[in-house]
Amino acid sequence: MDKELIFNRIRKGAKAEKTALICELCTGKSVLDVGCAGQDFDYNNPAWLHNRIKSVSGVLDGVDIEAEAISAMRA
């Protein structure tokens, strides 16, 4: 899948379609989730994008500038 096709799918798609595309692109791969704490979900919620990526990726690391949010995620 080329870069332009990916960007076009993301721009035109609904949130659920974007999540599905992200999960498709991350399946079985090593993934770095930059800004992983920047969503308004409980960290245990299966709808939280980081959890969705975690369920399909081979390896997942998350980083965020919000130190408090990262601490909460680790708890």
Side-chain angles (χ1 to χ4, degrees):
M1 188 176 302
D2 77 4
K3 190 167 144 179
E4 186 173 335
L5 178 62
I6 292 169
F7 286 132
N8 285 335
R9 281 181 63 186
I10 289 173
R11 280 188 206 108
K12 294 178 184 177
K15 184 174 183 175
E17 292 172 3
K18 290 178 186 179
T19 299
L21 176 60
I22 290 167
C23 288
E24 177 185 330
L25 293 169
C26 294
T27 298
K29 296 181 181 170
S30 295
V31 178
L32 174 61
D33 185 1
V34 178
C36 63
Q39 298 179 19
D40 295 329
F41 285 114
D42 170 28
Y43 300 128
N44 296 313
N45 186 327
W48 179 41
L49 183 57
H50 188 78
N51 276 343
R52 300 281 304 272
I53 295 169
K54 183 179 178 181
S55 72
V56 298
S57 66
V59 175
L60 175 62
D61 289 312
V63 296
D64 203 292
I65 63 170
E66 297 293 331
E68 290 179 27
I70 294 295
S71 293
M73 289 170 57
R74 290 183 177 149

